[in-house]
Amino acid sequence: MGNRRLPALSTILAALVASGLLIFLVAPVGELVVRGGSEGIRRLGSDAELRASLLLTGGAATVATLVGVFLGTPLAYLLARRRFPGRAVLAALLDLPLVIPHPVAGIALLLLLGRDSAVGQALLLVGLRVVGTPLGIVCAMLFVSAPLYVSGAREAFARVDVRYEAVARTLGDGAGRVFRRITLPLAQRGLLASAVIMWARAVSEFGAIVILTYNPKTVGVLSYDRFTTYGLGEAIPVAAVLVLIALVPLALLRALRGSRELHAGGME
């Protein structure tokens, strides 16, 4: 009898502890959306600066995600399928932007891409200016969010059974054809989920962007600007809109994963 009650008691205690953390994580965001969500949506019709910042944020995040997917997919496949010297070091370097403060990431990007740097001067020679332009926003978003895509894509490729690829090779398919016909389709859900997470993270970036490109303003920078210029009341609607935008793709992703897990568990 005691053995039957022990797991139940453990479950209740775990649920109480988890509820405390859940409330701490959800309550501030819920308060923000409740206080400013409707006003933020209403202002979309009257606040041209807010609309422009939304378009800029969404467009830059989309471009950064496309670049991250294009460049990160081969890298993720390499990390998932090949063993080579320095692989662990390379993986650690890829994760580094996730653990450093994002203003520090912005300073690092400024040193690399600023007009006084060799790279920045080379880009200026071909007509590309990074600091203070939408290109700078894309670079900042790409730097802080691409590691999330590479990490997720690496796991997606690692979950693909190598026996399917081996069978395709025995049938005469080359490496490229095996990747297109077998590996990529089997990993595509994980790749899509990783791309969605990268996009959502890019949308919410502030620290690196504000160092590299204060103007034109993304939604995160605009909420900070409204807060410092006009106070909390003007910043709340802008911040609430940003939360709602970031929440939509994450909710869709969780719904997709939940449906897949139910089907995988035979609970449909």
Side-chain angles (χ1 to χ4, degrees), residues 49-135:
E49 187 178 28
L50 177 56
R51 289 198 303 272
S53 68
L54 280 172
L55 290 174
L56 176 63
T57 304
T62 301
V63 173
T65 302
L66 291 174
V67 174
V69 169
F70 179 74
L71 299 177
T73 300
L75 181 57
Y77 180 79
L78 182 68
L79 290 171
R81 282 288 188 266
R82 298 288 185 267
R83 299 291 183 269
F84 52 87
R87 178 175 173 273
V89 175
L90 176 60
L93 290 175
L94 286 170
D95 291 337
L96 191 59
L98 298 176
V99 298
I100 62 176
H102 288 178
V104 175
I107 292 172
L109 286 171
L110 186 63
L111 290 175
L112 178 68
L113 303 173
R115 66 182 62 181
D116 294 331
S117 71
V119 176
Q121 291 178 2
L123 291 174
L124 286 174
L125 289 176
V126 296
L128 293 176
R129 186 163 66 91
V130 177
V131 178
T133 68
L135 179 58

Side-chain angles (χ1 to χ4, degrees), residues 20 23 31 46 66 105 120 123 132 148 163 231-232 242 252 254:
I23 292 172
E31 178 73 11
S46 59
L66 291 174
L123 291 174
L148 290 173
R163 290 176 297 181
L232 181 61
L242 177 59
L252 291 174
R254 295 301 177 189

Side-chain angles (χ1 to χ4, degrees), residues 37-39 59 62 69 76 79 115 137 151 169-170 180 207 214 241 245 263:
S38 59
E39 175 64 14
T62 301
V69 169
L79 290 171
R115 66 182 62 181
I137 297 172
S151 178
R169 290 194 187 95
T170 61
R180 291 193 306 272
Y214 196 91
V241 168
I245 290 175
H263 284 268

Side-chain angles (χ1 to χ4, degrees), residues 52-254:
S53 68
L54 280 172
L55 290 174
L56 176 63
T57 304
T62 301
V63 173
T65 302
L66 291 174
V67 174
V69 169
F70 179 74
L71 299 177
T73 300
L75 181 57
Y77 180 79
L78 182 68
L79 290 171
R81 282 288 188 266
R82 298 288 185 267
R83 299 291 183 269
F84 52 87
R87 178 175 173 273
V89 175
L90 176 60
L93 290 175
L94 286 170
D95 291 337
L96 191 59
L98 298 176
V99 298
I100 62 176
H102 288 178
V104 175
I107 292 172
L109 286 171
L110 186 63
L111 290 175
L112 178 68
L113 303 173
R115 66 182 62 181
D116 294 331
S117 71
V119 176
Q121 291 178 2
L123 291 174
L124 286 174
L125 289 176
V126 296
L128 293 176
R129 186 163 66 91
V130 177
V131 178
T133 68
L135 179 58
I137 297 172
V138 171
C139 290
M141 289 179 170
L142 179 65
F143 184 80
V144 300
S145 61
L148 290 173
Y149 174 77
V150 174
S151 178
R154 181 179 56 195
E155 292 182 10
F157 284 130
R159 286 195 295 268
V160 175
D161 195 330
V162 294
R163 290 176 297 181
Y164 296 134
E165 299 173 346
V167 170
R169 290 194 187 95
T170 61
L171 297 176
D173 288 348
R177 187 173 173 83
V178 170
F179 181 78
R180 291 193 306 272
R181 294 184 63 235
I182 306 297
T183 311
L184 196 58
L186 291 176
Q188 64 181 358
R189 279 180 176 268
L191 299 180
L192 177 61
S194 302
V196 171
I197 291 173
M198 180 184 171
W199 187 88
R201 179 64 192 85
V203 163
S204 63
E205 176 54 24
F206 170 76
I209 292 175
V210 79
I211 295 292
L212 210 59
T213 302
Y214 196 91
N215 286 301
K217 296 181 181 65
T218 60
V219 182
V221 176
L222 180 63
S223 65
Y224 174 76
D225 185 73
R226 294 279 173 93
F227 177 75
T228 56
T229 305
Y230 304 106
L232 181 61
E234 289 297 316
I236 287 176
V238 179
V241 168
L242 177 59
V243 170
L244 292 174
I245 290 175
L247 185 61
V248 170
L250 292 178
L252 291 174
L253 176 62
R254 295 301 177 189

Side-chain angles (χ1 to χ4, degrees), residues 5-28:
R5 288 179 177 176
L6 186 58
L9 180 60
S10 301
T11 302
I12 293 172
L13 289 175
L16 289 175
V17 173
S19 298
L21 179 60
L22 182 64
I23 292 172
F24 177 74
L25 295 176
V26 173

